[in-house]
């Protein structure tokens, strides 16, 4: 299709997310380390949100044409580490991107199912209000779209203590629906 830049967009997003660091994205001679880090965090959060929007808006035909570029991003370990980032904006954007990926390119995530499920459920007890809606959306989408998700988590060691913590803290999210869905899957 003339004027379709989806491949270029995906390459740019992948490069920002997998190649650059806070020191390589900005000119360290012109900016303080704090300014470089702030720019990096904004760029990463924007690229993760852009990736989510890209997945939601690009046609299935175009997604299949650039499957190898999606695979390049998904197979990069740096992509999977963003769920542990100190910035809530980056964590939030990562869960947003994962939610879109689970819905649109789940076949590309198949060999990363264990990593995906653990990355999402690992932060079940997240308390940051910026992250919560995107995290719980990702949790519910994983439960709906990945039939054997429960085989990749340990109920006694990971899920039960985190769910109990969420319940004791007042259930800052839709924990009742999640508990019902967790019980149905387990």
């Amino acid at each position: 299709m003339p004027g379709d830049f989806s491949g270029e967009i995906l390459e740019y997003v992948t490069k920002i997310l997998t190649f650059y660091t806070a020191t390589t994205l900005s000119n360290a001679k012109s900016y303080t380390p704090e300014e470089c880090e702030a720019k990096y965090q904004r760029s990463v959060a924007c690229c993760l949100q852009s990736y989510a929007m890209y997945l939601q808006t690009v046609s299935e035909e175009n997604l299949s044409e650039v499957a190898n570029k999606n695979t390049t991003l998904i197979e990069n370990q740096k992509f999977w580490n963003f769920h542990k980032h100190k910035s809530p904006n980056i964590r939030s954007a990562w869960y947003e991107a994962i939610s879109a990926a689970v819905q649109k390119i789940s076949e590309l995530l198949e060999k990363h199912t264990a990593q995906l499920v653990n990355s999402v459920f690992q932060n079940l007890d997240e308390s940051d209000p910026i992250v919560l809606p995107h995290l719980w959306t990702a949790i519910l989408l994983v439960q709906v779209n990945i039939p054997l998700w429960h085989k990749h988590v340990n109920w006694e060691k990971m899920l039960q203590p985190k769910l109990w913590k969420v319940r004791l803290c007042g259930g800052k999210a839709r924990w009742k629906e999640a508990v019902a869905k967790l019980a149905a899957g387990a």
Side-chain angles (χ1 to χ4, degrees):
M1 166 195 295
D4 179 30
F5 298 105
S6 59
E8 290 85 1
I9 293 168
L10 191 51
E11 286 176 11
Y12 177 78
V13 165
T14 300
K15 188 172 185 180
I16 296 289
L17 294 176
T18 62
F19 179 73
Y20 287 110
T21 64
T23 54
T24 59
L25 186 62
S26 300
N27 183 352
K29 294 178 183 177
S30 302
Y31 300 100
T32 66
E34 294 80 19
E35 291 171 326
C36 291
E37 181 64 29
K39 179 181 178 182
Y40 174 73
Q41 288 182 13
R42 287 190 308 272
S43 297
V44 168
C46 286
C47 282
L48 287 166
Q49 289 172 330
S50 298
Y51 185 58
M53 180 183 281
Y54 165 83
L55 290 173
Q56 293 293 349
T57 57
V58 171
S59 69
E60 296 292 327
E61 180 183 311
N62 285 354
L63 281 175
S64 62
E65 288 176 12
V66 293
N68 62 333
K69 293 178 183 179
N70 279 304
T71 302
T72 300
L73 177 59
I74 289 169
E75 289 186 349
N76 191 295
Q77 189 55 44
K78 193 172 176 186
F79 173 77
W80 292 99
N81 289 333
F82 287 125
H83 79 282
K84 298 183 278 188
H85 200 277
K86 65 183 177 184
S87 167
N89 292 329
I90 290 177
R91 291 194 316 272
S92 173
W94 187 83
Y95 288 115
E96 191 177 341
I98 282 299
S99 295
V102 166
Q103 292 176 77
K104 296 297 225 165
I105 56 169
S106 58
E107 66 281 352
L108 295 178
L109 295 170
E110 284 178 3
K111 75 179 194 179
H112 299 282
T113 300
Q115 187 174 22
L116 168 67
V117 171
N118 283 307
S119 296
V120 170
F121 283 93
Q122 180 178 346
N123 292 331
L124 187 67
D125 56 352
E126 172 76 54
S127 61
D128 195 302
I130 294 172
V131 181
L132 280 174
H134 303 289
L135 170 63
W136 283 93
T137 298
I139 288 171
L140 293 173
L141 286 170
V142 164
Q143 292 172 336
V144 168
N145 293 303
I146 300 176
L148 300 176
W149 67 268
H150 59 280
K151 300 237 186 241
H152 301 283
V153 292
N154 184 316
W155 177 261
E156 287 84 21
K157 290 184 180 177
M158 186 163 75
L159 291 182
Q160 191 174 15
K162 289 182 181 278
L163 283 173
W164 189 251
K165 182 178 175 185
V166 169
R167 178 145 171 32
L168 290 176
C169 293
K172 293 182 174 80
R174 295 179 282 165
W175 71 272
K176 288 182 183 178
E177 296 108 29
V179 169
K181 190 71 175 167
L182 285 167

